[in-house]
Amino acid sequence: MRLGKLLCAAFISCITVVGAAAHAASAGTLVFCSEGSPAGFDPGQHTTSTDFDASTNTVYNELVQFRNGTLDLTPGLATSWDSSPDQRVHTFHLRHGVKFQTTAWFRPARDFNADDVLFTFNRMLDPQQPFRKAYPTSFPYFTDLGFDKNIERIEKLDDYTVRFDLKTPDVIFVGNLAMSFASILSAEYAAQLSAAHREADINQLPVGTGPFVFRSYQKDAAIRYDANPDYWRPEDVKLAHLVFAITPDPKVRIQKLESGECQVSVFPRPTDLDTIKRNPKLKIVSGVGFNVGFVAYNTQHPPLDRVKVREALDMAIDKPAIIQAVFAGNAKIATNPMPPAQWSYNTTLRDAPYDPAKARALLAQAGLPDGFELTLWAMPVQRPYNPNAQLMAQLIQQDWAKIGVRAKIVSYEWGEYNRRAKQGGEHDALLYGWSGDNGDPDNWLGALLGCEAVHGSNVSKWCDPSFNSLIEKARSDTNVAERTSLYEQAQIIFKQQVPFTPIAHSIVSLPASKRVDGLVFSPLGSHRFDGVSLQ
């Protein structure tokens, strides 16, 4: 009953917020026109930037964080950390005096300490952990990285010191803990939920230590936050209120931006950029995206389990035409499974030339002279790496028809799309993509293509022992030159086996009112409002 009252209040509050959006700026409120509804507010469960923007980048903090706009690690809830020479033991020294947020559903009785770190990671590590047993769920990123197999124990040395012991060396462990899935939750709040048998509320009524306090959410309408008066970095909280006005239609987002109903908008259509540039009240914050958009082949579905078939599909896609039609030229053709800015990018690799005739011949060699039918899944929302997945799907559909492959385009609501792609593996081919999370090659090659990620972000469901061995060796090697060589070899195997076809590395643009100060382009594809103010 109590939860019902809270959600009812949230519903009324959100309607009020949306209706008042045009007058928001004068009240110290920034309205962000976002592209979709989050699947939830538990960063451990959900892996898209839509989810992370609504949770990690507003409500939570991690032990280690990325300095806004960079890939540089900086202290977060840990003030410092030490790693053993063999990279198997990582010790974090925690920040004193950090307060969890006070909300209508939780009032903390103590400050952040080591117990919160243990709860956050043990609930992902230990299936027998009481909260995990009461609230059975999966943690895709945690398992994609192999943390569930490699973390031997997490130990509280004292109230402000935590040690992670690993079974095998991991040179990127600290960097991985700066990622959104590692956001720190309150053990005290979890205990309160367990006592009330309301464990699932942690995904709907979040509590963290971040710059903004979650207040209410109405699906497909708005998310409302207030400034956190107890934030441990008070200089970074310059807005009284923050509203996510959920607006899936990119045309409507730009209309709202021009009318002043929102002050920042996500993912403009490439064709809208000139209009935005001509508006004296608007500006564009942009940069080359640290991303890749691709079409993945479900290698567990015949005939996509055969390399020749995947080669044929790859060779039949007219990438330059897609770059012009979908991105309006605001992207670079992708060759590798990660962007050229990523260290260890293999510059020697080349795409197979666009050649429908040869692609049809490959299908004939594979015993499919008349082609075959498959489903091609297309995202329902814009992403940093793909501004129009429906159009891209149509172009690929036309390309494949030239070689006798008949593609049926399928789509789902964004949260359902992700869930089915990662867990169910129902798709044949699927449009997807990735924005880098931590600046390390493993974040592309391991998270997208490793065997541990087959039931998670590896939507190609591809597990190649030779490839995976190279990735595992690289994780335990402290020598950057040797790691680079291993990753370059792995990219060669990727190119030979074609688990997915890289399409584009996009240029990402973030339109905003000129009254917005402190808005920073993030190479990680995130949207952060700490440090942002309105003139």
Side-chain angles (χ1 to χ4, degrees):
M1 190 68 177
R2 180 170 170 267
L3 176 63
K5 290 180 179 179
L6 285 170
L7 293 180
C8 181
F11 178 83
I12 294 170
S13 176
C14 282
I15 292 176
T16 303
V17 167
V18 174
H23 307 287
S26 62
T29 299
L30 185 144
V31 179
F32 171 51
C33 276
S34 61
E35 81 285 7
S37 294
F41 295 88
D42 180 352
Q45 292 188 54
H46 311 294
T47 61
T48 74
S49 60
T50 304
D51 306 312
F52 292 155
D53 284 345
S55 59
T56 300
N57 299 326
T58 50
V59 177
Y60 294 105
N61 295 120
E62 301 82 27
L63 293 176
V64 183
Q65 298 183 174
F66 293 106
R67 185 173 289 109
N68 201 2
T70 76
L71 297 174
D72 300 331
L73 291 179
T74 187
L77 294 181
T79 57
S80 62
W81 50 90
D82 311 301
S83 298
S84 63
D86 66 357
Q87 297 294 313
R88 287 184 57 191
V89 180
H90 303 271
T91 305
F92 294 85
H93 308 281
L94 308 183
R95 190 177 299 276
H96 291 246
V98 176
K99 299 185 182 301
F100 278 97
Q101 299 154 354
T102 297
T103 69
W105 47 89
F106 177 67
R107 182 173 296 275
R110 63 165 176 81
D111 290 349
F112 156 78
N113 64 29
D115 292 333
D116 303 304
V117 179
L118 264 62
F119 167 73
T120 296
F121 291 101
N122 278 331
R123 78 183 185 117
M124 295 189 277
L125 180 66
D126 182 7
Q128 301 306 313
Q129 200 267 354
F131 191 92
R132 172 75 173 278
K133 289 179 69 177
Y135 181 33
T137 188
S138 61
F139 302 100
Y141 230 137
F142 190 79
T143 54
D144 286 356
L145 295 170
F147 277 15
D148 57 326
K149 296 182 178 67
N150 197 32
I151 296 178
E152 187 168 23
R153 73 178 64 86
I154 308 169
E155 188 174 355
K156 172 184 174 180
L157 302 185
D158 58 46
D159 280 349
Y160 291 94
T161 312
V162 176
R163 186 177 72 199
F164 291 78
D165 292 330
L166 309 183
K167 297 174 184 176
T168 61
D170 187 348
V171 298
I172 54 176
F173 185 78
V174 172
N176 281 336
L177 291 194
M179 292 159 56
S180 295
F181 82 94
S183 296
I184 303 300
L185 280 64
S186 166
E188 184 188 8
Y189 178 43
Q192 173 184 302
L193 293 177
S194 290
H197 305 291
R198 303 214 64 96
E199 289 85 1
D201 287 4
I202 206 165
N203 191 39
Q204 301 299 326
L205 299 170
V207 172
T209 59
F212 297 96
V213 182
F214 173 90
R215 293 304 187 202
S216 59
Y217 169 49
Q218 182 187 3
K219 184 176 172 61
D220 300 328
I223 315 170
R224 180 176 179 267
Y225 309 87
D226 291 340
N228 181 1
D230 299 317
Y231 191 47
W232 54 274
R233 287 178 58 92
E235 67 275 14
D236 284 348
V237 183
K238 300 180 180 181
L239 298 168
H241 311 285
L242 174 65
V243 178
F244 281 32
I246 299 166
T247 314
D249 189 328
K251 182 179 179 180
V252 176
R253 288 200 297 268
I254 296 305
Q255 290 172 349
K256 287 184 175 181
L257 185 69
E258 291 177 325
S259 68
E261 288 185 63
C262 61
Q263 289 74 53
V264 181
S265 177
V266 73
F267 308 144
R269 297 175 300 180
T271 52
D272 288 332
L273 293 176
D274 286 341
T275 300
I276 297 167
K277 291 175 182 176
R278 290 195 298 267
N279 190 320
K281 296 181 179 180
L282 303 180
K283 63 182 178 180
I284 296 176
V285 178
S286 64
V288 178
F290 197 53
N291 61 41
V292 61
F294 56 83
V295 54
Y297 308 115
N298 190 332
T299 59
Q300 296 181 2
H301 282 196
L304 300 174
D305 55 344
R306 286 180 265 171
V307 175
K308 281 189 182 297
V309 173
R310 301 197 297 268
E311 286 180 328
L313 294 175
D314 175 86
M315 193 177 295
I317 297 175
D318 188 349
K319 292 185 186 181
I322 290 175
I323 296 296
Q324 289 305 315
V326 177
F327 298 88
N330 291 287
K332 295 181 178 180
I333 290 176
T335 299
N336 293 9
M338 56 189 188
Q342 176 64 69
W343 64 267
S344 82
Y345 180 91
N346 193 327
T347 58
T348 67
L349 298 178
R350 299 289 181 270
D351 267 346
Y354 169 63
D355 191 338
K358 187 173 180 181
R360 185 180 279 275
L362 283 173
L363 286 183
Q365 292 174 27
L368 298 163
D370 300 321
F372 61 97
E373 295 181 356
L374 83 170
T375 57
L376 171 60
W377 289 23
M379 295 166 290
V381 296
Q382 288 181 290
R383 308 306 300 144
Y385 45 77
N386 192 334
N388 193 334
Q390 296 294 322
L391 176 57
M392 184 182 290
Q394 292 167 12
L395 293 172
I396 293 173
Q397 181 186 51
Q398 293 169 14
D399 287 339
W400 286 348
K402 296 173 185 175
I403 63 170
V405 174
R406 299 167 295 282
K408 177 184 177 182
I409 298 174
V410 176
S411 191
Y412 295 95
E413 182 271 331
W414 182 224
E416 185 69 4
Y417 187 97
N418 272 287
R419 187 190 69 78
R420 287 173 177 255
K422 293 177 180 179
Q423 297 179 11
E426 305 165 41
H427 59 279
D428 294 324
L430 173 135
L431 290 181
Y432 212 64
W434 198 256
S435 293
D437 289 298
N438 63 6
D440 194 276
D442 184 82
N443 187 237
W444 309 90
L445 303 180
L448 288 179
L449 295 160
C451 292
E452 295 91 344
V454 162
H455 299 293
S457 299
N458 182 347
V459 292
S460 297
K461 311 304 176 186
W462 179 70
C463 177
D464 183 281
S466 298
F467 178 95
N468 210 63
S469 175
L470 293 169
I471 300 306
E472 290 181 344
K473 288 179 182 176
R475 285 176 181 162
S476 61
D477 198 327
T478 59
N479 186 297
V480 174
E482 292 174 0
R483 290 188 75 205
T484 296
S485 176
L486 292 168
Y487 289 134
E488 288 176 344
Q489 294 173 56
Q491 289 168 79
I492 293 172
I493 295 174
F494 164 85
K495 210 63 182 169
Q496 293 169 342
Q497 294 294 313
V498 203
F500 66 70
T501 294
I503 301 291
H505 307 297
S506 71
I507 296 171
V508 180
S509 298
L510 190 62
S513 165
K514 285 186 176 178
R515 298 181 60 239
V516 176
D517 282 337
L519 189 65
V520 177
F521 168 78
S522 169
L524 301 172
S526 59
H527 301 99
R528 290 174 50 176
F529 297 97
D530 49 318
V532 174
S533 63
L534 285 169
Q535 292 180 2

